[in-house]
Amino acid sequence: MQYQSHKIAQNFYTASVLLFLVQVVVGLIAALQFIWPDFFILNFNTIRTLHINALVVWLLMGMMGATYYVVTEESESELWSVPLAQLQFWATVIAVTAVVAGYIVMGLNPQTNTEIFGTRALNEGREYIEAPRWADVLIVISVLLFLFNCLMTVFKTKKFTAVQGVLLGGLTFLALMYLPGMFYTNNMVKDQFWWWWVVHLWVEGSWEMIAAALLAFMLHKLLGADVKVLAKWMYIETGLVLFTGILGLGHHYYWIGTPEYWLWVGGVFSSLEPIPLLLMVWDAFRTTREVRGVVPNRIGLYLTVAHAIFNFVGAGLWGVIHTLPQVNKWTHGTQITTAHGHLAFYGAYVLLIIAMIYVTLPSIKGVKEFNQSRGFQSFWWMTVSMIFIVIAITGAGMVQTYLERLLGLDYVTVKASYNLWFWIFRALFGVGFLVGVLILVKDILGFGQKPAA
Amino acid sequence: MSTNAAKNLFIYGSLFCFLVLVILTIDTMGKLDQRAPEITEKVAAGKKVWHKYDCIGCHTILGNGSYFAPDMTKATERKPKEYLKKFLLDPRAIKQDSAMPKLGLSEEEADSLIAFLEWTSKVDTNDWPPKPILASATAGRTASTGQMLFQKYDCAACHQIQGLGGTAGPDLTHAGLKQPDVEWHIKHLKDPAGTVRNSAMPNFSHLGDEDLKALAEYLITLR
């Protein structure tokens, strides 16, 4: 069945992968700035802000596109309002462009970052949520319009499926958890306390809910697996994600000026966080094994299973190695965190969105068969490069922890001399990753234009 | 387990966990003010400077941030304020190879930022960052008077000897080769800015002639 609403999903996908390309280009600039700080006209702080904001926004846009698709398909109906969805898409694109322009202006001349209404005009100077207050308001409006449209579709058709429930529940949770980042406090400890509510409850709470729902959706769509069984495991996975993840927030409250009991709360609950992620891997394999016959969309399945595996390895294993307070005391604030961040986001969310795109794009474009080799090429370029990037940063983090934290060497000495080779490796594999992204963008933008080879 | 049971467990279990989080949050909020010094107007102004220049885009504070530049939580604990101020106003005038560019801070902004960093250095962080084990192991080792003075005034906060120590000031591994004159060192310790152009080092004239001589004699042994 072809829907008008699917075109909206496709628009979101296109914007997504283009922003992904921007993210990786600025990421490469940032990697080179570790070797030559003056490499680019913009300083590292602006480049880094762009790198991470582009990531967050393209993943969110990917999730929005995916959700518009899922809601349409599960409800077997057009969206409640297609023009509203179109408006929401363009409003988002314009707002994002304005925010990025603001960051660049601020980066070229910090004095432009004046104070208005008790907050900053162009860049709030708060990691990840640098977007100024006026942009926060636009983001909230955009997300509310999006949620309203999806929920109205579900209420109109009254098809309350399990996948839609968890997906829209996760998105509502996501929207609510943006609010604790939208007020100013002159206490840095309280500032970071609420800031972690946003950051942690997004990536280790609501986003993982969305991931569990999309995983169930993809396994059903690709393999025709039993919806009831998928739904049961989805509830168990999401439940465990939240039981461990919500109080796992404590692992960010060890050293920021918060009471000591968080060492226990964070240590115990966050150590359990890999369990639901391992369950998702098992779920993906079990479902795949049960299927008889050929799966036509091989690349879609490949990416789905890869997402489950790297979600566990990146978010689970690379997270749990430094989550205990006894270890974290030495590694907190080192490159170990950077390594975890890279592999976790790649596995948990980058592969998830790319998988969703490959799983749904054939039916959006109305193609039965398509050339899958470019998808595989981009997957291997990106994955192998990311593994080596993460190995390089993990090595840098281990050297840094040992020399700086244990032996007491100066931060700058360790970064500039002992870790130089790691920065060079990281930048080289960054080029490899960029190659993978270029192949991906080309494949997605030209998807289905040529007949299968 | 049936699908419905799994669904109920997920919904009510999650809500319960969230409720526990809210209770812990309320308790924590009540305790935070006692775990940090009072926030004066200057500290509050300094925090705004921190945000204005997006310092966290390179540095970390309380261990959170961008891992591109040193952690600022305890920056004022070892580095002299005179140095920090001059550095903030024009980093590369003080330290040529600094990765930090000149951001255009005013004198007033630099003062408030330092007040803010003094505040963060006094937050009770459950003993983070931990003291490096080597520093603990070598503390109290017998040394010459000059060497002990070097330790007492924490010269290593800014100066490196044989790879150990800060990079804010020049490396002193070969200080005695570069400048073998005891009198020069005494003069420099008394008035750094008058002896070396653009020096951000505070003066140590309060040490007294005897200690200054001992320190200078130690410095010329570094070859």
Side-chain angles (χ1 to χ4, degrees), chain A residues 106-134:
Chain A
M106 183 272 177
L108 293 171
N109 178 9
Q111 299 306 331
T112 54
N113 199 17
T114 50
E115 191 176 320
I116 40 166
F117 304 120
T119 166
R120 291 288 150 193
L122 300 175
N123 181 330
E124 267 185 26
R126 297 174 73 206
E127 197 191 4
Y128 310 143
I129 50 172
E130 288 92 347
R133 197 57 39 83
W134 56 267

Side-chain angles (χ1 to χ4, degrees), chain A residues 146-295:
Chain A
F146 158 77
L147 273 176
F148 176 73
N149 207 350
C150 292
L151 288 170
M152 286 306 282
T153 313
V154 178
F155 285 121
K156 190 185 74 185
T157 59
K158 296 199 172 55
K159 290 204 171 82
F160 302 105
T161 65
V163 165
Q164 295 205 87
V166 173
L167 182 59
L168 294 174
L171 286 160
T172 309
F173 186 30
L174 179 155
L176 288 175
M177 285 308 109
Y178 192 64
L179 305 179
M182 281 179 65
F183 68 94
Y184 186 82
T185 157
N186 60 13
N187 183 327
M188 194 59 177
V189 177
K190 289 179 187 166
D191 188 315
Q192 291 209 349
F193 186 92
W194 290 110
W195 172 78
W196 275 124
W197 264 58
V198 182
V199 177
H200 176 94
L201 293 177
W202 267 32
V203 296
E204 284 162 69
S206 62
W207 287 33
E208 287 284 0
M209 270 177 88
I210 294 164
L214 291 181
L215 178 67
F217 176 83
M218 291 191 289
L219 289 174
H220 172 66
K221 173 115 183 140
L222 287 162
L223 307 167
D226 183 9
V227 180
K228 272 216 119 122
V229 180
L230 284 173
K232 184 174 96 179
W233 284 107
M234 177 183 67
Y235 284 131
I236 294 173
E237 286 153 10
T238 334
L240 287 174
V241 161
L242 295 178
F243 301 164
T244 57
I246 289 175
L247 290 169
L249 174 57
H251 67 183
H252 299 296
Y253 296 155
Y254 294 161
W255 325 115
I256 66 164
T258 31
E260 236 168 298
Y261 58 72
W262 286 107
L263 298 173
W264 279 98
V265 178
V268 170
F269 282 90
S270 69
S271 295
L272 301 171
E273 279 187 56
I275 294 172
L277 309 185
L278 186 62
L279 213 57
M280 290 182 193
V281 178
W282 174 78
D283 196 12
F285 274 100
R286 176 184 50 83
T287 318
T288 309
R289 252 204 333 267
E290 279 170 5
V291 173
R292 295 176 199 288
V294 198
V295 177

